[in-house]
Amino acid sequence: MNGPLIAKRAKGLLQVFNEAGVLVAADVHVASRLSKLGGEENESVLLAAALAVRAVRLGSVCVELDRIRDVSVDETSKEELDELPWPATEDILSGLRSSPLVVGGTAGPLRPLRLLDTADGALLYLDRYFRQEQSIRQVLDDRATRFPAVDAEKLATGLQEYFSSPAPDRQRIAAALAATHWTSIVAGGPGTGKTHAVARVLALLFAEHGPALRVGLAAPTGKAAAQLEEAVNAQAELLGLPAGLRAMTLHRLLGSRGSGTRFRHDATNKLPYDVVVLDETSMVSLTLMCRLLEAVRPDARLLLVGDPDQLMSVDAGAVLADLVARPVRTQANPAFTELVAADLAAAPDTADRLAAGVVRLTEGRRFGGVIADLAAAVREGRSQEALELLTSGSDEVSFVSYDDVDALRKNVIATDSAVTAAASAGDARAALEALKTHRLLCAHRDGPFGVAHWTKQAAEWIGAHIDPTRLQAGQPLLVTANDHEIRIYNGDTGVIVATESGDLMAAFLRGGEPILLHPSRLPALQTVYAMTIHRSQGSQYDTASVLLPDANSSLLTRELLYTAITRARTHVRVVGTEEAFLAGVERQVLRASGLRKY
């Protein structure tokens, strides 16, 4: 295995931690540059600055100085990391409190680092992320101090019409919460009815405000936006919603100007919508959430939807999880508590988070039984219980080693046979449905546990020859770029089907119906016999086979396992070792942030 890239001019603590693999060259270069610009020479301060850069690179917003030693490096033991010359936290704090990088100095007003004291200890930020977090906090706090005017009688009638379940009905609570607050969060796992509730929130608001209500539907990815649009429009006729509500990516909603952080809609040019719904919020970074909150009008409702236990944004921040866990400092709208008084009386455990605008849906409708129990055990970090469930012998789960993949091979071959038969006969719908019967899911892209290796292995099992220049009926496809004109998005999966004319077309599901496109019209494509767990988010398969990497892999986390397990409807197969599975359940992604602290 190759060692870390070493910064040529690194010295002192920066060099030691770079050589140990804790810091990469880029971390060191930024800290060294700050040293020159700000006139800072304290090695402890420069190490803390490099660790703040490292934290953002790995998804955190800041560094918790009391936990500065809690780092992990692939192929490096905890004992080896503990032996590094870590400065005492007191020395780091002392240096930072007087550092020109924090308080400014003779070199100018440059303050690239921000130190924030909380009841749980000091946090060190890069300035950009400090300001973004403060902006999010301020906007949300301002929105929580006031409530929209509502027609309580109309809302009560609508809630009675759209929700018929006896109390407590958490979906009814969620709808009432969103209708009576400027900001609300509907959290829950797959199949808990989040989009079902969203459609009914929109129905309540259209019933109260009329057809002129302006609604913006968005999600972080094109695939997720398309799924949100389809799910809402599938219920439009039943609920009396306007036909053809459109959803778009968050970047398109804000009006991207070609960069990841500059948008047409901002604090001075607000979004025109009366209601903004953001689905799959767990995938949204701190920066994008900041830009959205700056752009939403103060008198517009904002509904954030997602699963806080799933994999998080690839960029810095775990905003949804932070907001769900954030301390409560406000009271719920009295109109809301009156509307769902019976539900609240029957479910008193929901009251504390409701005051923060958060409701968690818990009743899964997509899967249950052992799969649901396993997902819950993994989500809550109960590793031994999760292992017992996985090895229980239930028909819903199986746990095998890499030396025992006969059942996996049979699944791959059977799925390919069904897909190919339907695709060769020109039955696009049947081919697409067959494609959902099984999926190989990997943590890595490369290496012996990665997508590339297992795609090759699956192709050998079915006797397929993977050649991107030669398409054949039954070939499963993965789109890897967005094309908004034809509404095909990065992460969409489809299949090549034969047609009566003899042409080969690419079939995808849209709105529950197959659409056929000539392959030449599509953006970048891959053959997909296996995919990463990250890409699988938002998808469901009858059987999901989860290929675990080595126990030391930093990608193997509780969130990754939970996401993979919840892709399955009827059966989860985990392939790997007990050591790797237990390590994954016990390794939680801890993204440092001040947002959930106060």
Side-chain angles (χ1 to χ4, degrees):
M1 180 176 176
N2 295 327
L5 292 175
I6 304 300
K8 290 183 178 180
R9 297 183 181 180
K11 58 183 180 179
L13 288 177
L14 293 179
Q15 180 181 10
V16 172
F17 281 79
N18 184 194
E19 292 175 346
V22 174
L23 302 176
V24 300
D27 305 331
V28 175
H29 289 318
V30 172
S32 299
R33 182 64 175 163
L34 291 179
S35 171
K36 291 181 179 180
L37 291 175
E40 177 58 78
E41 298 181 357
N42 185 315
E43 286 194 31
S44 296
V45 170
L46 296 179
L47 176 62
L51 290 171
V53 177
R54 175 188 190 271
V56 170
R57 176 169 55 81
L58 297 181
S60 288
V61 175
C62 58
V63 173
E64 297 181 74
L65 293 179
D66 287 341
R67 300 180 55 200
I68 205 165
R69 297 184 180 216
D70 291 351
V71 298
S72 62
V73 179
D74 284 356
E75 307 302 325
T76 302
S77 69
K78 185 70 168 65
E79 291 74 17
E80 291 174 302
L81 292 172
D82 287 341
E83 290 174 1
L84 292 172
W86 294 95
T89 302
E90 295 77 11
D91 293 339
I92 297 175
L93 273 171
S94 175
L96 285 169
R97 293 193 194 285
S98 59
S99 172
L101 300 180
V102 175
V103 299
T106 56
L110 178 72
R111 295 176 60 199
L113 301 180
R114 294 298 187 101
L115 189 63
L116 179 66
D117 289 306
T118 74
D120 297 325
L123 307 176
L124 181 66
Y125 294 79
L126 299 180
D127 177 68
R128 169 187 171 185
Y129 296 95
F130 175 81
R131 288 185 284 109
Q132 288 176 357
E133 189 178 277
Q134 294 290 342
S135 178
I136 290 173
R137 182 180 291 108
Q138 180 178 346
V139 171
L140 289 176
D141 287 349
D142 287 347
R143 292 174 63 87
T145 60
R146 50 195 171 76
F147 307 114
V150 297
D151 186 328
E153 186 174 342
K154 277 189 177 180
L155 278 179
T157 301
L159 290 170
Q160 186 175 2
E161 178 182 355
Y162 299 135
F163 301 95
S164 57
S165 298
D169 184 338
R170 288 176 182 265
Q171 289 189 348
R172 183 164 53 229
I173 294 173
L177 188 73
T180 56
H181 292 76
W182 291 121
T183 308
S184 54
I185 299 172
V186 178
T192 52
K194 299 186 295 295
T195 311
H196 181 89
V198 166
R200 280 150 182 77
V201 169
L202 296 178
L204 289 170
L205 295 177
F206 272 111
E208 182 173 357
H209 298 284
L213 187 76
R214 293 166 294 180
V215 174
L217 303 178
T221 67
K223 175 184 174 182
Q227 290 174 332
L228 172 64
E229 180 180 312
E230 290 168 11
V232 169
N233 284 318
Q235 304 174 72
E237 184 176 353
L238 173 67
L239 301 175
L241 293 173
L245 287 173
R246 298 292 298 271
M248 64 191 84
T249 64
L250 183 52
H251 278 82
R252 286 174 71 85
L253 181 87
L254 293 171
S256 176
R257 286 184 166 174
S259 74
T261 59
R262 296 188 63 223
F263 301 98
R264 180 162 53 87
H265 292 291
D266 55 21
T268 60
N269 181 28
K270 300 286 188 180
L271 288 164
Y273 304 108
D274 304 307
V275 182
V276 174
V277 178
L278 177 61
D279 199 11
E280 297 289 358
T281 307
S282 64
M283 300 167 65
V284 176
S285 68
L286 182 86
T287 299
L288 265 183
M289 183 59 72
C290 177
R291 298 294 176 253
L292 173 63
L293 289 174
E294 288 173 344
V296 172
R297 296 196 336 255
D299 60 343
R301 286 176 175 82
L302 174 63
L303 176 55
L304 305 176
V305 185
D307 185 351
D309 301 306
Q310 277 194 172
L311 288 165
M312 304 166 191
S313 164
V314 295
D315 296 316
V319 181
L320 181 63
D322 286 344
L323 296 183
V324 168
R326 195 174 173 222
V328 179
R329 290 189 175 83
T330 56
Q331 297 295 319
N333 188 345
F336 160 73
T337 55
E338 184 174 341
L339 281 167
V340 289
D343 292 294
L344 299 181
D349 59 304
T350 63
D352 58 337
R353 302 311 305 160
L354 291 173
V358 178
V359 60
R360 186 184 281 268
L361 304 181
T362 56
E363 185 180 348
R365 294 168 171 80
R366 194 169 296 168
F367 54 78
V370 177
I371 295 178
D373 293 342
L374 176 62
V378 169
R379 183 184 67 229
E380 296 165 15
R382 293 181 270 120
S383 56
Q384 288 299 327
E385 181 181 338
L387 182 60
E388 290 172 6
L389 287 165
L390 191 58
T391 56
S392 64
S394 166
D395 291 340
E396 298 177 42
V397 297
S398 56
F399 188 33
V400 299
S401 71
Y402 277 100
D403 296 326
D404 181 19
V405 292
D406 285 347
L408 171 61
R409 179 175 56 82
K410 290 177 181 176
N411 267 144
V412 170
I413 293 172
T415 298
D416 176 73
S417 297
V419 171
T420 301
S424 299
D427 191 340
R429 179 185 292 279
L432 290 165
E433 288 301 320
L435 199 62
K436 299 182 199 174
T437 57
H438 178 256
R439 176 69 76 217
L440 284 168
L441 300 177
C442 305
H444 294 262
R445 296 183 185 276
D446 302 309
F449 308 108
V451 168
H453 172 83
W454 283 93
T455 291
K456 182 178 178 181
Q457 177 64 79
E460 289 178 0
W461 283 339
I462 63 179
H465 179 64
I466 299 176
D467 182 350
T469 66
R470 291 181 57 197
L471 299 176
Q472 54 189 355
Q475 184 173 343
L477 304 175
L478 173 67
V479 178
T480 57
N482 291 332
D483 188 324
H484 296 284
E485 182 179 347
I486 60 175
R487 297 180 61 74
I488 293 295
Y489 304 106
N490 187 357
D492 279 341
T493 55
V495 63
I496 295 293
V497 299
T499 62
E500 291 183 359
S501 63
D503 293 331
L504 293 177
M505 302 290 281
F508 297 89
L509 275 179
R510 276 292 173 266
E513 296 295 327
I515 61 170
L516 298 180
L517 298 167
H518 195 278
S520 64
R521 296 188 61 194
L522 296 171
L525 288 173
Q526 293 178 359
T527 299
V528 58
Y529 291 114
M531 68 166 46
T532 63
I533 296 168
H534 276 83
R535 279 197 184 276
S536 74
Q537 291 187 94
S539 300
Q540 291 287 308
Y541 311 98
D542 293 342
T543 297
S545 293
V546 186
L547 307 171
L548 299 182
D550 185 85
N552 293 325
S553 171
S554 59
L555 290 180
L556 183 57
T557 65
R558 183 181 305 175
E559 292 77 8
L560 187 91
L561 286 177
Y562 169 81
T563 302
I565 289 165
T566 54
R567 298 311 95 203
R569 294 190 186 95
T570 59
H571 187 86
V572 174
R573 175 186 294 112
V574 176
V575 183
T577 65
E578 286 191 8
E579 179 189 13
F581 180 75
L582 292 172
V585 179
E586 292 166 4
R587 184 183 293 123
Q588 186 176 17
V589 175
L590 296 174
R591 292 196 169 183
S593 160
L595 200 55
R596 69 168 60 198
K597 292 182 179 293
Y598 74 100

